Amino acid sequence: MKKLTILMLCIATLGLASCKKDTIVQNGANNLTIIKYIQPNEWIASSNGFTLSAALLDNRIDARTFEDDGILVYISRGDNNVYEQLPFVYDVNSYSYAISQGRIDLDIQSSDFQNATPTRPTTVTRVKIVLIESFQ
């Protein structure tokens, strides 16, 4: 009985030792980072003054990118080398964006409407756009 147990243990050990683990690694992420700048005078107030808007035009946001890919937007307020992902609220200003083919529209609005007019940026606003390729 002891010999049979040892024999079975040896067979099981050899069977498990012959298993092979395959690791699949995909190389080359097809992501793209775009840096844009918005000058203080490029923020346009809406007719009621409740929204400041700036448009970023880029032909790399084509029909396929618009429909299939992930698009992330970050801004560096005051060119302070700190990026904040949109949407977010700072002080009482709410920062958001909308994407359409060929452009990204950034908006600044009052988050609590205590002061309906948002604060206009006085320095260059650096914008980082990250296009993350995906497929349907």
Side-chain angles (χ1 to χ4, degrees):
M1 183 72 172
K2 208 178 208 185
K3 290 181 182 179
L4 183 60
T5 304
I6 292 174
L7 180 64
M8 294 302 277
L9 185 61
C10 289
I11 292 171
T13 303
L14 285 174
L16 292 175
S18 66
C19 292
K20 182 181 174 187
K21 180 180 176 184
D22 289 330
T23 303
I24 300 172
V25 178
Q26 293 180 336
N27 293 333
N30 292 325
N31 302 335
L32 177 65
T33 300
I34 303 165
I35 303 294
K36 298 276 190 172
Y37 297 91
I38 303 171
Q39 299 299 324
N41 63 346
E42 293 176 330
W43 291 98
I44 307 299
S46 62
S47 60
N48 60 10
F50 295 162
T51 303
L52 293 173
S53 298
L56 299 174
L57 305 177
D58 199 298
N59 59 4
R60 290 173 282 193
I61 304 173
D62 57 12
R64 195 199 65 75
T65 299
F66 176 70
E67 289 297 330
D68 294 343
D69 296 351
I71 301 173
L72 305 174
V73 179
Y74 305 83
I75 67 169
S76 180
R77 295 173 298 106
D79 204 23
N80 60 6
N81 290 325
V82 174
Y83 281 108
E84 297 163 302
Q85 186 173 9
L86 274 69
F88 75 96
V89 174
Y90 178 78
D91 203 5
V92 294
N93 289 325
S94 170
Y95 295 79
S96 61
Y97 69 102
I99 300 169
S100 56
Q101 190 172 327
R103 70 184 287 151
I104 296 177
D105 293 301
L106 291 109
D107 293 327
I108 305 174
Q109 299 171 316
S110 174
S111 64
D112 63 1
F113 218 63
Q114 288 180 9
N115 182 5
T117 306
T119 306
R120 180 180 294 277
T122 58
T123 59
V124 174
T125 303
R126 189 171 64 237
V127 181
K128 180 194 297 187
I129 304 162
V130 181
L131 306 178
I132 302 171
E133 189 171 31
S134 182
F135 297 97
Q136 283 189 343

